[in-house]
Amino acid sequence: MKITDWPKHERPREKLLAKGAVTLSDSELLAIFLRTGVKGYSVIDLAINLLKKFGGLRGLLSASEYDFCQTKGVGQAKFVELQASLEISQRYMAETLDKTDAFNSVEQTQAYLIAKLRDQPHEVFAMLLLDS
């Protein structure tokens, strides 16, 4: 069944506008990004399939171009758009973290280090020099 056949309050875009992005599932958020499905396969089905294939959003966002493009309904253009949106998100987080003058808590320090180091393809040595 096409999403346009769903009740309006259940459609991902309308749900986001009415209740906020936080209320959407990963597949609903991804469906909004993907915009369309393929013949006989709704955009929600496509989103669910991608999330299952890659083990969730983290796996999907880390997938190689080749692996991503092996899924019916997505190709290089969607891969590029997804990578661009990931980079925008990372820059947003970096900007948000860089605006703080100092680390005031263990949680804040942890969030900063996770954001900076989590996606490194190899082991990284880092040092924070702090004063009291």
Side-chain angles (χ1 to χ4, degrees), residues 15-66:
K15 189 174 172 183
L16 184 145
L17 291 171
K19 298 180 181 177
V22 72
T23 64
L24 274 64
S25 67
D26 291 350
S27 57
E28 290 171 321
L29 288 168
L30 184 57
I32 290 172
F33 172 82
L34 294 170
R35 292 189 309 268
T36 61
V38 292
K39 188 172 181 164
Y41 208 51
S42 78
V43 69
I44 291 286
D45 294 331
L46 179 58
I48 290 169
N49 184 39
L50 283 166
L51 292 171
K52 282 183 182 174
K53 178 178 180 176
F54 294 104
L57 285 173
R58 188 160 191 69
L60 176 66
L61 294 169
S62 301
S64 70
E65 177 185 353
Y66 177 81

